[in-house]
Amino acid sequence: MDFASLLGIFSGIALIVSAILLGGNPDVFVNVPGLMIVAGGTIAATLLTVQFKDVLNAFKAAWIVFTQDKTNAQEMIDTMLELSRVSHRHGLLKLGDVESDSHVLKRTCNLLAEAASEQVIRNTLQNEIDSLIARHHSVQDVFRKMAAYAPAFGMLGTLIGLIQMLSQLSNPETIGPAMAVALLTTFYGSLLATMVFLPIAGKLHARTLSEVTNLEIIREGCISILTNDHYMHVYEQLASYLPEAQRKPIKIGKAQKPGEENAKAARKKPEASR
């Protein structure tokens, strides 16, 4: 699991639970009808807004994003440099033998091996980027909608509780406990929105930016390979995608064992779920 996600989940839950326990009786924060209104209402409104399969895909994507490490831009740059060395030593046709778990990288290597034009490669990768952004936006939109619906249903539950409380004004002793129960639904809605739905949407957005950066590195790297740029020139073009402090210098004329470039070029690149 991504360490930042793990730390955020446990620290957030621990702080909220600690505050509840230090404040007194934790049983007052448990209200099943209120939770049913907030959770059930949020899910129902979301299903009315988007298709059921989109909701399932959103939760599946969230699980994969939170359990897999994000792709590393530096590793992708290293991979493109190895591909540049392979093309200089063995020609573009050799790139067709490269194996990779990244279907985009494999597809682009095949285009290079088939001597596709620069415009074809650029258009193909740009279509991949646009398609990825659209798919990820639909997934993020599910959680943003749920983050908007949860507080609204929390307020709705509070109004229901207030109506029930006002109907029993003849018994003043019940006003305090009834008011506490009425406010619980607002608490549930705010908690789900700020601790669950919005963080998930933010994490998915960050993963989208990371994957778009990797696709742009593949695009620019393949175009540089196609134009037969020296791998140092390839590096200088791709290094701009990283902050200066994270750029790893490379050595000119780095010695390699025979066949090592093919093994390195076939680095495994896990695909995040769209």
Side-chain angles (χ1 to χ4, degrees):
M1 176 179 283
D2 179 51
F3 178 73
S5 303
L6 189 66
L7 179 63
I9 291 173
F10 281 102
S11 61
I13 294 176
L15 289 172
I16 293 173
V17 172
S18 298
I20 291 175
L21 293 176
L22 291 173
N25 184 11
D27 292 339
V28 299
F29 286 87
V30 179
N31 182 255
V32 176
L35 190 59
M36 291 172 59
I37 292 174
V38 175
T42 300
I43 294 174
T46 304
L47 291 175
L48 286 171
T49 307
V50 299
Q51 296 182 3
F52 181 72
K53 65 176 183 179
D54 293 333
V55 177
L56 290 180
N57 290 335
F59 280 96
K60 180 181 177 182
W63 172 256
I64 293 176
V65 166
F66 276 85
T67 54
Q68 289 184 356
D69 293 331
K70 68 178 181 179
T71 50
N72 190 299
Q74 181 62 62
E75 290 182 1
M76 182 58 74
I77 291 176
D78 293 341
T79 298
M80 299 312 299
L81 293 177
E82 294 299 333
L83 292 177
S84 176
R85 292 189 181 101
V86 171
S87 67
H88 274 89
R89 295 180 181 183
H90 306 287
L92 291 176
L93 189 61
K94 188 67 175 178
L95 296 180
D97 298 332
V98 171
E99 297 294 335
S100 175
D101 286 346
S102 171
H103 76 278
V104 176
L105 182 59
K106 175 62 179 175
R107 181 182 178 190
T108 310
C109 286
N110 289 336
L111 288 174
L112 288 172
E114 294 168 0
S117 66
E118 176 181 340
Q119 193 61 41
V120 170
I121 293 177
R122 189 177 295 276
N123 290 342
T124 300
L125 269 296
Q126 189 59 49
N127 289 339
E128 287 283 353
I129 292 172
D130 294 340
S131 178
L132 181 144
I133 292 175
R135 292 194 303 270
H136 283 209
H137 177 76
S138 64
V139 169
Q140 297 164 26
D141 194 48
V142 171
F143 290 103
R144 292 195 184 100
K145 284 182 170 60
M146 296 180 77
Y149 293 146
F153 277 97
M155 184 58 67
L156 179 61
T158 297
L159 292 175
I160 294 173
L162 288 175
I163 292 172
Q164 293 174 344
M165 181 192 71
L166 293 175
S167 66
Q168 299 178 1
L169 283 180
S170 58
N171 188 1
E173 295 180 355
T174 63
I175 294 179
M179 185 58 142
V181 172
L183 293 176
L184 273 179
T185 55
T186 299
F187 169 74
Y188 292 150
S190 298
L191 181 64
L192 286 174
T194 56
M195 270 298 297
V196 180
F197 301 137
L198 286 177
I200 291 176
K203 179 67 72 172
L204 290 170
H205 178 67
R207 182 59 63 91
T208 299
L209 295 179
S210 175
E211 293 193 23
V212 167
T213 298
N214 281 342
L215 290 181
E216 290 176 345
I217 290 173
I218 293 176
R219 181 186 63 194
E220 299 306 321
C222 287
I223 291 174
S224 297
I225 292 172
L226 182 66
T227 55
N228 204 31
D229 289 343
H230 189 271
Y231 72 87
M232 280 299 298
H233 298 164
V234 176
Y235 170 77
E236 292 300 332
Q237 294 184 61
L238 300 184
S240 60
Y241 286 96
L242 293 174
E244 187 172 356
Q246 298 180 12
R247 297 175 187 175
K248 185 175 68 175
I250 61 173
K251 296 180 181 180
I252 301 178
K254 180 179 178 182
Q256 291 181 319
K257 298 179 181 179
E260 183 180 359
E261 64 274 7
N262 286 338
K264 290 187 176 181
R267 295 173 187 267
K268 291 185 177 181
K269 304 298 297 178
E271 293 280 325
S273 176
R274 307 294 190 261

